[in-house]
Amino acid sequence: MITIRYFGFLKEALGISEEQIDAQCCKNTAELLDYLRNRNTQWADVLSDANIFKLVVNLNVIHDVTPISSGDEVGILPPVTGG
Amino acid sequence: MITIRYFGFLKEALGISEEQIDAQCCKNTAELLDYLRNRNTQWADVLSDANIFKLVVNLNVIHDVTPISSGDEVGILPPVTGG
Amino acid sequence: MKRIQIQTHPLDPIQEGMTFQKEAIDCGAIVSFTGIVRGNDNLIPLEYLYIEHFPEVTEKEIALIVHEAYTRWDFKNCTVIHRVGKIAVQEPIVWVAVASGHRTEAFKAAEFIMDYLKTDAPFWKKEIRVDGSSQWVKAKNTDQQKKQRWLYDGK
Amino acid sequence: MKRIQIQTHPLDPIQEGMTFQKEAIDCGAIVSFTGIVRGNDNLIPLEYLYIEHFPEVTEKEIALIVHEAYTRWDFKNCTVIHRVGKIAVQEPIVWVAVASGHRTEAFKAAEFIMDYLKTDAPFWKKEIRVDGSSQWVKAKNTDQQKKQRWLYDGK
């Protein structure tokens, strides 16, 4: 299983803060995003590129497509608004 | 009489912090500086342009040659080093 | 010495400033920034902010920002404290302090850290207004521009 | 609210910061600068600084600098405190604080005021060293350059 964590407005827009999905779904972070966007048009809209600032795999911010497998945790971060 | 006040290193280099001179010496601040520089080579050296940052007449910083007369106070300020 | 702290309890810039000043041995300059929750930016006044973050990741991202500042300017001490959770109007939300030999380094590093913290550190702000309505704050383009300025105005 | 103060008694940035923060109503950003006497800039360590100024004129010149900053950036509160007389190593010599709606204005105005204070305000620094020798500090070209930067980088 892969754990997915949603932050900020994504949580409320998707109605979920964390979920576990079968690791068969996707070999890497790009495939994971495709998989989630294919759920329905709402997911596709909410998870549009403009709404995703960064992905985090196992607490490391990633800058390129990154392989994922069972046991990994992926965080999906919307644009940040701290300070 | 015109009162002249010296500040910072000028005081020590000239061995004087304040003096009064006859107002007949000079009609304006440029003439005053000439008058003081003509006292001897030491005064000319110490009061060189590089050592004078600004002149103050009656507590107002001046930016141009300014008329002076009896009762006026002129401050001679070397380059500043605060902060 | 670098210190990065995320906390839910109130942030006290005075207390932090005292500690920071005491530790800034041989530094000629201290610049500090305090960010405070404003109440009247919108039509309906704010009651409080709620700030979410990503524990561990936020600290790591701030450490990267401080390190990047350190490669650009020579400074000795740096503290970054950011509050999360519920924060009332007029309360401090973020405090950044930099101590260095001379003033320019401290000014530049503190401003740089704040600009990058705004655009890179995983914090999300939700506004809860006095009428009970609430909304997640949208990221500002002006913050991106302020950050990009440092690409050219590196020092 | 602007406050300019020249004082011979010790300068306490913590106490001043507390007062300043309390008065910064509706401000989202406070930037403060503390300048501290360094002891080891030269071969022979410093024992203390002696600072001379020109009473009345110094205050007026600082007021002009603060006003010039105010024409460039929108800020609400500003305090400038400079100590004169005998100041020991590690003691604060100058404190500048600016409070504004947003951070950039406070950073820019505080740095601008410090840069101009260095080159324009009538203060003169004399170093008294541990071996009893003493010397008036020479004005630095780098301070002139920092000031001139603001002619082009106005905002």
Side-chain angles (χ1 to χ4, degrees):
Chain A
M1 303 296 272
I2 291 167
T3 304
I4 311 178
R5 294 170 67 181
Y6 303 92
F7 290 86
F9 91 95
L10 295 179
K11 274 197 308 203
E12 289 175 25
L14 298 171
I16 192 170
S17 65
E18 188 172 325
E19 65 175 317
Q20 299 212 311
I21 60 173
D22 196 309
Q24 301 304 316
C25 75
C26 24
K27 292 191 301 293
N28 58 45
T29 49
E31 288 185 17
L32 172 67
L33 282 181
D34 283 342
Y35 172 85
L36 296 171
R37 285 164 177 162
N38 278 331
R39 280 178 168 166
N40 62 42
T41 55
Q42 191 208 347
W43 279 74
D45 284 351
V46 172
L47 294 180
S48 71
D49 281 336
N51 287 341
I52 298 181
F53 169 62
K54 276 177 184 168
L55 296 182
V56 170
V57 175
N58 301 328
L59 304 179
N60 293 309
V61 170
I62 61 164
H63 302 281
D64 300 297
V65 173
T66 298
I68 48 175
S69 58
S70 189
D72 284 344
E73 180 197 273
V74 179
I76 303 184
L77 284 54
V80 302
T81 55
Chain B
M1 303 297 272
I2 291 167
T3 304
I4 311 178
R5 293 169 69 183
Y6 302 93
F7 290 86
F9 91 97
L10 296 180
K11 272 197 306 202
E12 290 176 21
L14 299 171
I16 192 169
S17 65
E18 188 170 326
E19 63 175 319
Q20 299 212 312
I21 60 174
D22 195 308
Q24 301 304 316
C25 75
C26 23
K27 293 192 301 292
N28 58 45
T29 49
E31 288 185 17
L32 173 66
L33 282 182
D34 283 342
Y35 172 84
L36 296 171
R37 286 165 176 161
N38 279 330
R39 280 178 167 168
N40 61 43
T41 56
Q42 192 208 348
W43 278 73
D45 284 350
V46 172
L47 293 180
S48 70
D49 281 339
N51 287 342
I52 298 180
F53 170 62
K54 275 177 185 169
L55 296 182
V56 169
V57 175
N58 300 330
L59 302 179
N60 292 309
V61 171
I62 60 163
H63 302 280
D64 299 297
V65 173
T66 298
I68 49 176
S69 57
S70 191
D72 283 345
E73 179 197 274
V74 179
I76 304 185
L77 284 54
V80 302
T81 55
Chain C
M1 204 171 71
K2 322 267 177 295
R3 180 174 153 230
I4 292 160
Q5 187 170 313
I6 316 288
Q7 64 186 39
T8 50
H9 60 275
L11 198 174
D12 182 351
I14 303 305
Q15 192 62 45
E16 300 297 345
M18 214 180 314
T19 306
F20 192 82
Q21 192 181 313
K22 221 172 283 168
E23 291 169 347
I25 309 297
D26 277 336
C27 290
I30 296 175
V31 168
S32 78
F33 172 82
T34 306
I36 299 161
V37 177
R38 282 184 313 276
N40 296 303
D41 276 11
N42 300 299
L43 222 59
I44 305 161
L46 192 72
E47 190 176 334
Y48 64 89
L49 283 183
Y50 173 79
I51 302 205
E52 190 186 341
H53 78 304
F54 192 161
E56 288 193 54
V57 177
T58 308
E59 287 87 337
K60 279 201 280 189
E61 289 298 288
I62 296 174
L64 282 177
I65 295 167
V66 172
H67 182 261
E68 174 65 26
Y70 192 66
T71 64
R72 294 177 181 223
W73 302 282
D74 186 24
F75 57 85
K76 248 179 139 162
N77 296 356
C78 175
T79 292
V80 178
I81 303 175
H82 203 294
R83 203 175 157 194
V84 294
K86 198 171 156 173
I87 312 177
V89 168
Q90 282 289 341
E91 287 189 335
I93 166 173
V94 59
W95 190 76
V96 171
V98 175
S100 59
H102 299 270
R103 73 185 182 284
T104 304
E105 288 75 5
F107 270 116
K108 294 300 175 204
E111 193 176 3
F112 177 94
I113 289 167
M114 271 310 301
D115 282 352
Y116 272 72
L117 189 145
K118 280 267 184 185
T119 55
D120 284 25
F123 293 103
W124 299 277
K125 220 178 249 170
K126 190 176 189 175
E127 295 180 344
I128 293 85
R129 312 205 182 101
V130 291
D131 66 351
S133 66
S134 67
Q135 189 165 18
W136 288 95
V137 174
K138 289 215 178 4
K140 286 190 222 152
N141 271 333
T142 50
D143 283 331
Q144 283 297 333
Q145 287 156 10
K146 280 173 194 164
K147 172 185 160 183
Q148 268 147 26
R149 194 167 43 85
W150 295 103
L151 299 176
Y152 311 103
D153 180 21
K155 294 228 161 190
Chain D
M1 204 172 69
K2 322 269 177 291
R3 179 174 155 233
I4 291 160
Q5 187 170 313
I6 316 288
Q7 63 186 41
T8 51
H9 61 276
L11 198 174
D12 183 352
I14 303 306
Q15 194 61 44
E16 300 298 345
M18 213 179 313
T19 307
F20 192 82
Q21 192 181 312
K22 220 172 284 167
E23 291 169 348
I25 308 297
D26 277 336
C27 290
I30 296 175
V31 169
S32 78
F33 172 82
T34 307
I36 299 161
V37 177
R38 281 184 313 276
N40 297 301
D41 275 11
N42 299 300
L43 222 59
I44 304 162
L46 192 72
E47 191 176 331
Y48 64 89
L49 282 183
Y50 174 78
I51 303 204
E52 190 186 340
H53 79 303
F54 193 162
E56 289 195 52
V57 177
T58 308
E59 288 86 337
K60 280 201 278 188
E61 288 298 288
I62 297 176
L64 281 177
I65 295 168
V66 171
H67 182 260
E68 173 64 27
Y70 192 67
T71 63
R72 296 179 180 221
W73 301 282
D74 185 24
F75 56 86
K76 247 180 139 163
N77 296 357
C78 175
T79 292
V80 178
I81 303 175
H82 203 295
R83 204 176 156 195
V84 294
K86 198 172 156 175
I87 313 178
V89 168
Q90 282 291 337
E91 287 189 336
I93 166 172
V94 59
W95 190 76
V96 171
V98 176
S100 58
H102 299 270
R103 74 186 180 285
T104 304
E105 287 77 5
F107 271 116
K108 295 300 176 205
E111 193 177 2
F112 177 93
I113 290 166
M114 270 311 301
D115 282 352
Y116 272 73
L117 188 145
K118 280 268 184 184
T119 56
D120 283 24
F123 293 104
W124 299 278
K125 219 179 249 170
K126 190 178 189 174
E127 295 181 343
I128 292 86
R129 313 208 180 98
V130 291
D131 67 351
S133 66
S134 68
Q135 191 166 16
W136 288 96
V137 174
K138 289 214 179 3
K140 287 190 221 151
N141 271 331
T142 51
D143 282 332
Q144 283 296 334
Q145 287 156 10
K146 279 173 193 163
K147 172 186 159 182
Q148 268 147 27
R149 194 167 43 84
W150 294 104
L151 299 177
Y152 311 103
D153 181 20
K155 294 229 162 189

